[in-house]
Amino acid sequence: MSNSSPTVSDGNPRLRPVQAAEILEDGVRLLLLADLGRPEGPMAVLSRAALALAALMDGTRDRAELVLEFSRQHGVSLEPALVSYLVEQLDEALLLDSPRYRADLAARREAYRAEPLRPMLLAPEVFPAGAGPAAEFLDRLFLAPGGPGRLPSGKASGGQPSPRQGRACKGVIAPHIDYPRGDGLYGQAYLRLAEEAMSADLYVLVGTDHRGELDQPLTLTAHDFATPFGRLQTDSELCWELAASRPWLDNELAHKDEHSLELQAVLLHHVLLHCGPGAGEERATRARVLPLLCGSLLGVEPDPGLLRARRAEVDAFVEELGSLTASRPYVVIAGADLAHLGPAFGTEPVSGEDRRLLATRDSETLALVSSGDAEALLDDALADGNARQICSVTAIYLAMRLLQGCRGELLGYRQCQVPDEPEPLSVVSIAAAAFHG
């Protein structure tokens, strides 16, 4: 093994959040472990016995105690050298919270921060990379099935003003599924933004951290976003002010490969430039975004202590943002999908009756969103251990906390198929909502 990097300390090894995939090697079933937040990074190949040992590495036991605990649980005596070998193997794969991992993380974080802006990941597969084609493509979301059926007022020549124009929209929930499947629901949410939320100069983008979600509940980035229309500017000064006393920028790398905010940034930039009253270069140049990714409030398993600590982080963020923006109204845009069920997500196939039941449960959740009661929403998700696997519980909860006192209006709901399944066995549910206070 290489000794060129810092080695794991002699303290208590702690396994970081990982994902496992079974592989077959010379007729033997093994497990391939990768970092949950970086599946393309270094990996470790383990036997099932080694995985059982790694599962004991929670930071509470040193190597001698790992030997004793493994023997107690499995009735097998281990050589201490085997424990040390596994610790080093996991550490070289950057799967332990260790000096080697932290040095690698710091180097990758600095490399990301040295980039001029957060690059587009989804163009041209999900949307066109060029400004003209992208504008035409995004306009079609307003006219798609389930959408408002018209472009924002002022967009088309001779367009009629909306009867709702002048009513202030304080925030929206839009999908973060790909544009083709979310089409009309994106149109519903962004029509409200175009026609009712153009007086703000700060847009708080709240999205789901799908890959690093177990590390911490809230993560900012100070990077500007690349879109087909150029640079969408982040309020970097506000980001650093918010992070002055808390580690909200420490996991900034999560933004690099996360799509949930990119989809909002691209559509928002389009709206600022091309849609609704006051749209144009001056409007887009003046606007700033505050990009925030949300992880799990619970971690790997429900843990009341962890939940309290992470809710305290949310409380602190809401209070601090309110203090720093007391005289600066902002609009909240949450990119949030709902249930993820079926074989694509590790559950049983979804039948027609399952879909009807899902629609009923989702409607109950969305009624809580409309009520504006963030705590009731969170309690509802926790009551059944988030059995529907709603990926955006934290994002919706935080958005509602930031919109305290506002009531939501449901704009649309849909259940989407998962692409490339031989038959429709899995489903993602999505919705759009607008908030007024």
Side-chain angles (χ1 to χ4, degrees):
M1 295 185 183
S2 168
N3 290 317
S4 60
S5 299
T7 57
V8 68
S9 70
D10 290 330
N12 299 350
R14 186 176 76 84
L15 189 67
R16 299 188 57 258
V18 298
Q19 59 183 14
E22 191 172 71
I23 61 172
L24 194 64
E25 189 171 293
D26 297 329
V28 178
R29 295 191 182 279
L30 300 171
L31 291 154
L32 191 66
L33 257 62
D35 188 331
L36 182 65
R38 192 186 176 199
E40 74 286 353
M43 300 180 182
V45 179
L46 275 62
S47 66
R48 292 194 175 277
L51 182 63
L53 175 58
L56 299 176
M57 298 178 188
D58 60 1
T60 65
R61 305 176 182 91
D62 62 22
R63 299 183 193 202
E65 290 168 329
L66 286 169
V67 171
L68 293 173
E69 184 62 19
F70 189 88
S71 176
R72 186 187 72 80
Q73 289 192 19
H74 301 285
V76 177
S77 296
L78 292 178
E79 291 291 332
L82 290 176
V83 176
S84 293
Y85 177 82
L86 179 59
V87 167
E88 292 300 327
Q89 181 186 5
L90 293 171
D91 193 37
E92 287 208 346
L94 303 175
L95 299 179
L96 296 180
D97 185 2
S98 69
R100 177 185 274 123
Y101 164 72
R102 288 191 289 273
D104 176 80
L105 177 63
R108 288 187 290 118
R109 182 187 296 131
E110 289 311 307
Y112 172 64
R113 288 178 176 171
E115 296 177 8
L117 70 171
R118 189 261 186 205
M120 290 185 288
L121 296 178
L122 303 179
E125 289 78 12
V126 177
F127 54 83
E136 293 178 7
F137 173 84
L138 295 171
D139 275 350
R140 290 197 289 271
L141 301 181
F142 297 104
L143 307 175
R150 63 178 179 84
L151 297 173
S153 59
K155 168 68 179 176
S157 176
Q160 296 300 311
S162 163
R164 301 177 57 88
Q165 195 168 318
R167 183 184 180 191
C169 175
K170 301 298 181 65
V172 298
I173 293 174
H176 65 229
I177 204 166
D178 56 89
Y179 290 144
R181 286 186 290 169
D183 54 19
L185 296 191
Y186 276 109
Q188 291 281 12
Y190 279 84
L191 182 84
R192 296 300 176 88
L193 289 175
E195 295 184 343
E196 303 171 26
M198 289 290 99
S199 62
D201 65 1
L202 177 64
Y203 296 84
V204 181
L205 306 184
V206 181
T208 297
D209 180 359
H210 288 91
R211 302 209 304 183
E213 61 180 324
L214 301 178
D215 285 341
Q216 61 187 59
L218 302 174
T219 300
L220 290 164
T221 183
H223 262 357
D224 294 345
F225 277 64
T227 82
F229 314 108
R231 180 187 293 261
L232 180 65
Q233 297 182 82
T234 291
D235 193 327
S236 57
E237 182 178 344
L238 179 57
C239 283
W240 286 105
E241 285 183 299
L242 285 162
S245 59
R246 290 182 180 266
W248 288 320
L249 276 167
D250 285 6
N251 199 33
E252 189 175 10
L253 271 171
H255 286 263
K256 183 177 182 180
D257 298 317
E258 175 54 59
H259 68 274
S260 62
L261 291 188
E262 178 174 340
L263 292 162
Q264 313 313 319
V266 168
L267 250 171
L268 174 63
H269 207 183
H270 174 56
V271 165
L272 291 168
L273 283 166
H274 306 126
C275 303
E281 288 288 348
E282 181 181 348
R283 178 78 188 86
T285 300
R286 188 173 75 249
R288 294 291 184 273
V289 296
L290 183 70
L292 183 69
L293 287 177
C294 298
S296 170
L297 284 174
L298 294 178
V300 180
E301 296 179 355
D303 179 335
L306 184 62
L307 175 60
R308 284 193 297 273
R310 292 188 168 182
R311 285 177 82 167
E313 286 287 294
V314 172
D315 291 343
F317 181 85
V318 172
E319 181 178 353
E320 184 70 9
L321 181 62
S323 174
L324 292 172
T325 60
S327 59
R328 185 186 182 191
Y330 57 76
V331 170
V332 177
I333 302 174
D337 292 343
L338 300 175
H340 292 66
L341 296 173
F345 309 109
T347 73
E348 293 297 314
V350 180
S351 67
E353 178 61 20
D354 293 333
R355 291 171 186 267
R356 287 188 288 274
L357 292 173
L358 174 60
T360 298
R361 279 293 288 124
D362 281 346
S363 69
E364 293 168 355
T365 297
L366 292 168
L368 295 174
V369 172
S370 296
S371 76
D373 191 338
E375 301 306 325
L377 172 84
L378 184 57
D379 290 343
D380 178 67
L382 296 175
D384 62 2
N386 195 19
R388 282 170 289 159
Q389 301 188 128
I390 299 174
C391 71
S392 300
V393 171
T394 310
I396 298 172
Y397 172 72
L398 175 59
M400 293 176 69
R401 289 289 312 280
L402 293 170
L403 293 163
Q404 196 70 39
C406 296
R407 293 184 65 85
E409 174 191 357
L410 181 63
L411 304 175
Y413 170 81
R414 179 181 299 171
Q415 294 180 3
C416 303
Q417 306 289 10
V418 172
D420 302 325
E421 282 192 327
E423 55 182 303
L425 301 174
S426 303
V427 65
V428 178
S429 59
I430 61 174
F435 291 83
H436 300 84

